Amino acid sequence: MRIDVRSQFDLIAQGVDELVPVLVDITAPHLDEASADTRPPHTLQVVLDRSGSMGRGPLEVAKTALKDLVDRLRPDDNFGLVAFDDQVQVVVPAGPLTDKDSVKAAITGLRPGGTTNLSAGYLRGLQEAERVAKEAGATVLLVSDGHANCGVTDPEILGEKADQAFHRGITTSALGIGEGYDEHLLAALACGGRGNDGMAEHTDAAAQFIAAQVDGLLSQAAQAVSLLLRMESIVRGVELVNELPVTVTPDGVLIELGSLYSGETRTLTLVLDVPAGPPPGPVRLGELELSWAELPTLKQHTATVSLDAEVAPPSVAATRTADPRVATELVFQRAQQAKRRAAVALRNRNPQEALEELRRARDAVQAATASAPVEMATDLDEELAILGALIRQTKSGNYSRSAKAALKRVGDASRSRGRQFAAGTGLDHHDWTDQPGASRPTPARHSKTPRRAWIDLAEAVRTLPLTPQDREPIAEAIAALLDGRPDFNASRFRRHALSTKSRGCGTDHTPDSLF
């Protein structure tokens, strides 16, 4: 495991209250084939909604995906299935997969039923998982297409149950199918359980999400990953900008990340509140202690990194430059917070408040594109497209879908920031098939993607036999015409079209960073 820390500024102004953004990257080791072969047995407990509305197609898709999932697990892995409508049924008692044919036959025999007692199904699934889980813990995957309309329906209460289960070694992931599910409840379960939450409007995406859970389960490199921040007395407080549970302990602020997959990097954004006072010179703000259990041995490890800064007179600190990656990531995460607030406003039938949140976030992200590092350009472009689509949906009155899409992106971009899945899994951050308003052409249907076309168009304008001054009105006219199209960034288009440097010959605007 590796932990890397960087601050937005290399200097803190003396005698001035400062907010110091800090970026933390946590990278898991790559598992080799030998480690994968010797992994401890996993426990996967599925909690499946079989209420009447699931009978129109989603239930059959889920059953097929679960049977494929069973085939991919080892005979010594534990698998269990609880199905629920207004009643709860233990379809497959949690235990080793010694008879996969019988398990798949039990899955095939599921039929749709009545209403949706989600809490009863989830709690029974937790009981089954705990019954067989060993040191390696367990994962509960809840799949539902409806609102919980009986039993416990309070997201806060169920989120607390998921959090308690996490501290007993059980992770919870949740998938909402269609447009009728309670996005706040499922997000609370995934957040408390430190798992993934998915939104699948179509059956294909539901199958991909379920398959991706096994991909993650089989590639875990570390479990019980946590980060403890010990602050020095000169730090007044700290904000974790990502949407992750935080616990204040006698030793400091504890952030629990759950499991990390082989080779993945998770990114956290902290903001330290440093009041005026420290004299000029080096100062220690605190330290970060990373703890984890290595797989497959479950050996416990810790690593510590110091948080240091340099205090300088205000006149000197005024000349400091911001780290572009930290500054951009902070804007990106603030946008996730805005979408969370917008989703709550839509739930409360306050679309105007939601629109104000989304527009402010869009404007902030747009402003950040000018100074964003190359490696974050795609993230910002996607975020702008998503915010634009959410604004359009909200204005059209489609509040439910807009709220669900907003919360889905928050889960991806905030709780699991940095996590990457294979394309087409339904969890890939660059898979647009389920994003609101997404209509990006793909190379399979078009000989040239929009991104490639805009790059070539900018290059064509740049190479016109004209001075930059004469090219400017041409670039402005094209930018005005294309602004708002997928993958198009007007400011970067203008910058390249008016550049005096050729593409790939020392210019900052390489093909992959233009748009």
Side-chain angles (χ1 to χ4, degrees):
M1 293 279 281
R2 190 178 76 245
I3 178 170
D4 299 301
V5 178
R6 59 202 300 171
S7 297
Q8 181 168 343
F9 302 111
D10 55 356
L11 297 175
I12 296 177
Q14 178 192 15
V16 178
D17 288 354
E18 289 269 33
L19 294 177
V20 183
V22 175
L23 210 61
V24 182
D25 289 323
I26 301 170
T27 304
H30 286 275
L31 290 179
D32 54 27
E33 291 186 7
S35 297
D37 291 339
T38 59
R39 67 170 176 82
H42 289 309
T43 296
L44 178 60
Q45 174 67 46
V46 177
V47 178
L48 179 62
D49 181 351
R50 65 162 188 176
S51 59
S53 59
M54 286 284 285
R56 295 192 293 269
L59 182 60
E60 292 305 314
V61 171
K63 286 160 59 175
T64 299
L66 291 180
K67 286 184 283 188
D68 291 341
L69 178 156
V70 167
D71 283 333
R72 296 179 59 196
L73 295 174
R74 292 191 324 216
D76 61 339
D77 289 325
N78 293 313
F79 175 83
L81 174 61
V82 166
F84 68 91
D85 49 7
D86 52 337
Q87 302 292 322
V88 177
Q89 176 189 4
V90 179
V91 180
V92 178
L97 277 169
T98 53
D99 188 351
K100 292 188 177 184
D101 289 339
S102 295
V103 170
K104 289 190 285 186
I107 294 172
T108 300
L110 280 172
R111 297 291 181 268
T115 55
T116 308
N117 191 342
L118 186 149
S119 63
Y122 175 61
L123 295 175
R124 187 69 183 91
L126 287 180
Q127 291 172 350
E128 282 293 292
E130 288 190 73
R131 182 173 59 78
V132 299
K134 296 182 172 60
E135 288 183 334
T139 297
V140 171
L141 170 60
L142 186 143
V143 181
S144 176
D145 79 331
H147 280 270
N149 48 28
C150 56
V152 178
T153 60
D154 187 328
E156 185 173 344
I157 293 175
L158 288 175
E160 289 176 358
K161 290 292 184 184
D163 178 77
Q164 293 166 7
F166 172 78
H167 286 93
R168 298 192 299 271
I170 299 175
T171 299
T172 299
S173 291
L175 171 64
I177 300 178
E179 296 189 19
Y181 67 90
D182 187 332
E183 66 275 11
H184 295 273
L185 192 154
L186 295 190
L189 284 170
C191 182
R194 314 315 193 266
N196 302 307
D197 63 320
M199 166 189 172
E201 293 185 9
H202 310 294
T203 52
D204 286 348
Q208 291 166 355
F209 182 94
I210 293 171
Q213 303 313 300
V214 182
D215 291 338
L217 194 65
L218 299 183
S219 65
Q220 285 184 4
Q223 290 183 334
V225 182
S226 65
L227 189 68
L228 179 65
L229 169 60
R230 297 188 181 94
M231 295 178 290
E232 297 293 334
S233 59
I234 64 169
V235 178
R236 182 161 46 197
V238 62
E239 175 194 5
L240 173 64
V241 187
N242 303 72
E243 188 182 79
L244 285 167
V246 174
T247 303
V248 179
T249 73
D251 292 331
V253 177
L254 183 65
I255 305 165
E256 291 168 302
L257 288 85
S259 299
L260 265 66
Y261 302 158
S262 174
E264 80 161 305
T265 297
R266 299 280 290 277
T267 301
L268 304 179
T269 305
L270 306 172
V271 179
L272 305 182
D273 181 4
V274 182
V283 62
R284 180 182 170 90
L285 301 177
E287 70 174 14
L288 293 169
E289 181 180 281
L290 180 67
S291 301
W292 72 96
E294 173 190 340
L295 289 177
T297 64
L298 295 178
K299 183 179 179 181
Q300 296 290 323
H301 297 274
T302 60
T304 303
V305 174
S306 179
L307 294 177
D308 300 313
E310 182 80 18
V311 178
S315 59
V316 176
T319 64
R320 65 190 179 184
T321 56
D323 183 301
R325 181 168 173 240
V326 181
T328 304
E329 182 66 24
L330 182 59
V331 171
F332 182 86
Q333 290 299 334
R334 293 297 187 203
Q336 310 316 309
Q337 293 178 330
K339 285 185 292 189
R340 162 68 69 182
R341 293 190 295 269
V344 172
L346 290 172
R347 184 185 181 97
N348 295 331
R349 312 299 293 180
N350 191 341
Q352 190 57 43
E353 181 181 337
L355 283 172
E356 290 173 0
E357 290 283 0
L358 294 171
R359 285 167 176 157
R360 281 195 295 267
R362 178 198 59 191
D363 293 345
V365 173
Q366 180 67 64
T369 59
S371 58
V374 169
E375 65 270 19
M376 296 189 70
T378 299
D379 282 344
L380 294 190
D381 288 347
E382 289 187 353
E383 191 64 25
L384 283 172
I386 290 172
L387 287 166
L390 291 173
I391 290 169
R392 290 192 296 274
Q393 282 189 343
T394 302
K395 290 170 68 176
S396 71
N398 196 344
Y399 304 151
S400 175
R401 189 170 188 273
S402 184
K404 287 175 172 58
L407 287 182
K408 169 62 173 70
R409 178 65 171 177
V410 169
D412 285 347
S414 182
R415 292 196 297 276
S416 302
R417 179 65 167 154
R419 172 167 287 176
Q420 297 294 326
F421 294 86
T425 61
L427 288 174
D428 175 26
H429 291 181
H430 304 295
D431 180 354
W432 279 75
T433 57
D434 247 11
Q435 293 294 352
S439 57
R440 291 191 174 194
T442 64
R445 297 198 302 270
H446 295 263
S447 59
K448 183 173 289 187
T449 64
R451 182 184 297 266
R452 181 77 259 164
W454 307 152
I455 292 171
D456 289 347
L457 183 57
E459 180 68 1
V461 174
R462 191 199 65 77
T463 55
L464 288 172
L466 300 171
T467 66
Q469 291 76 19
D470 291 335
R471 279 187 273 132
E472 185 171 1
I474 300 174
E476 288 293 336
I478 295 174
L481 179 66
L482 298 178
D483 199 12
R485 296 287 297 274
D487 273 329
F488 183 73
N489 185 298
S491 63
R492 288 181 183 155
F493 176 86
R494 295 187 192 96
R495 194 186 313 161
H496 183 77
L498 300 177
S499 173
T500 58
K501 297 180 181 180
S502 62
R503 189 168 69 195
C505 298
T507 176
D508 291 336
H509 312 306
T510 59
D512 289 336
S513 67
L514 264 175
F515 304 102

